[in-house]
Amino acid sequence: MVSAQNTWLFDIYRKVPKDLTQPTYTGAIISVCCCLFILFLFLSELTGFITTEVVNELYVDDPDKDSGGKIDVSLNISLPNLHCELVGLDIQDEMGRHEVGHIDNSMKVPLNNGAGCRFEGQFSINKVPGNFHVSTHSATAQPQNPDMTHVIHKLSFGDTLQVQNVHGAFNALGGADRLTSNPLASHDYILKIVPTVYEDKSGKQRYSYQYTVANKEYVAYSHTGRIIPAIWFRYDLSPITVKYTERRQPLYRFITTICAIIGGTFTVAGILDSCIFTASEAWKKIQLGKMH
């Protein structure tokens, strides 16, 4: 058996008897400041440990392979000077799709006592360059001077992400006001759609799309005269995917940081206290030497 006396040989934290130590006011002040400083850093680190961090990365891929090559679109637009029976949605793309007067999952709400219209629609587009446009092309009889002034309330692609730590252009055209534009002008919105993935702490992924936009306004003519105006949304997809991932600081890193804070603070405080005490003792000796 190992005796208690031999066990003491392994104690690296040997204690100094209290009657061999000397407390000082300076040491007390430094000790209080040291504890307050440790408490402040501990609370700061604890807040960081509890808070969920969102990191992002870029890669080249199609993240939503189960979508069947489709992207869901949500459009909400008001045309205050165009009757609802004239408003329609047309969809075209490079895969040969050409749909005039899309009506599935759409709704028209009369505005201004029937003089205007708000179009709300949810539809899907193929993951190839194309366009969809609001126009009078599907109307039975074309108006002479259709007024295409409008306000875009919402244009979004994919799932709706309402995450506080992610500030992206998921509804970049939301609030676009073209009420003061030329009523007979066409509007081109050129969209660059960027696939976006959000993965929460549980590993669940949601697929959405951000987009950048450029726009122009023009009155178009052909050899037969003025072309009927429309509101065009021409889109292309970026090959780059943005991924946001929720992460929380590992427990071991939190413990390591707390140990470093406590150990470092006490070490620096001890050095500071030792320097002050040594200087104080030296000053006392100098004063005693002057007295003698």
Side-chain angles (χ1 to χ4, degrees):
M1 295 182 62
V2 180
S3 64
Q5 185 175 1
N6 292 333
T7 303
W8 294 342
L9 296 176
F10 296 101
D11 186 4
I12 61 175
Y13 299 105
R14 300 194 178 192
K15 311 302 184 293
V16 179
K18 286 188 177 182
D19 55 355
L20 298 180
T21 60
Q22 178 182 350
T24 62
Y25 288 109
T26 303
I29 295 174
I30 292 177
S31 298
V32 172
C33 293
C34 178
C35 291
L36 292 176
F37 185 66
I38 290 175
L39 179 62
F40 169 74
L41 293 181
F42 172 78
L43 294 177
S44 300
E45 286 297 321
L46 181 62
T47 302
F49 174 70
I50 296 174
T51 303
T52 300
E53 179 186 14
V54 177
V55 297
N56 62 78
E57 58 181 316
L58 304 176
Y59 60 92
V60 179
D61 193 14
D62 178 11
D64 192 7
K65 295 182 176 62
D66 298 329
S67 65
K70 302 285 187 180
I71 300 176
D72 294 328
V73 183
S74 179
L75 175 64
N76 188 332
I77 183 171
S78 292
L79 297 93
N81 301 308
L82 195 63
H83 293 279
C84 279
E85 61 266 20
L86 299 174
V87 177
L89 177 69
D90 311 325
I91 306 173
Q92 297 174 292
D93 63 34
E94 292 186 358
M95 291 182 68
R97 181 182 184 183
H98 189 180
E99 185 176 349
V100 179
H102 179 88
I103 58 175
D104 294 339
N105 298 319
S106 63
M107 178 176 62
K108 300 177 184 179
V109 181
L111 301 175
N112 302 331
N113 297 321
C117 185
R118 184 174 81 245
F119 178 86
E120 300 178 19
Q122 294 184 350
F123 53 97
S124 62
I125 57 176
N126 294 316
K127 292 183 178 181
V128 295
N131 74 79
F132 52 91
H133 52 278
V134 178
S135 68
T136 61
H137 298 161
S138 61
T140 305
Q142 292 298 313
Q144 190 69 27
N145 296 305
D147 187 334
M148 302 307 292
T149 54
H150 61 277
V151 176
I152 301 174
H153 306 292
K154 179 182 180 182
L155 176 60
S156 62
F157 300 87
D159 296 338
T160 300
L161 293 182
Q162 295 180 340
V163 183
Q164 184 177 3
N165 295 330
V166 176
H167 304 284
F170 296 98
N171 186 24
L173 275 174
D177 188 332
R178 301 293 183 266
L179 295 179
T180 59
S181 301
N182 184 343
L184 301 178
S186 290
H187 299 264
D188 265 15
Y189 295 100
I190 314 299
L191 313 178
K192 192 70 172 182
I193 301 175
V194 182
T196 303
V197 183
Y198 188 89
E199 182 177 319
D200 59 21
K201 295 189 296 293
S202 65
K204 181 181 178 181
Q205 293 185 340
R206 284 180 286 172
Y207 304 97
S208 186
Y209 296 84
Q210 304 182 62
Y211 61 94
T212 59
V213 59
N215 67 283
K216 64 179 179 178
E217 174 187 335
Y218 58 93
V219 178
Y221 292 90
S222 68
H223 64 279
T224 58
R226 180 170 50 80
I227 298 176
I228 297 174
I231 304 169
W232 297 82
F233 301 92
R234 307 181 192 272
Y235 61 88
D236 192 6
L237 271 77
S238 169
I240 302 297
T241 295
V242 180
K243 183 178 182 180
Y244 297 96
T245 307
E246 287 186 354
R247 291 179 183 173
R248 180 166 288 175
Q249 181 180 342
L251 179 61
Y252 74 85
R253 186 178 300 173
F254 173 70
I255 295 175
T256 302
T257 304
I258 295 303
C259 291
I261 289 173
I262 296 174
T265 303
F266 274 120
T267 299
V268 173
I271 294 173
L272 180 62
D273 179 61
S274 177
C275 292
I276 294 175
F277 180 76
T278 302
S280 176
E281 291 297 312
W283 177 255
K284 289 179 180 178
K285 292 180 178 178
I286 293 174
Q287 294 298 319
L288 289 175
K290 288 182 178 180
M291 293 176 62
H292 294 289

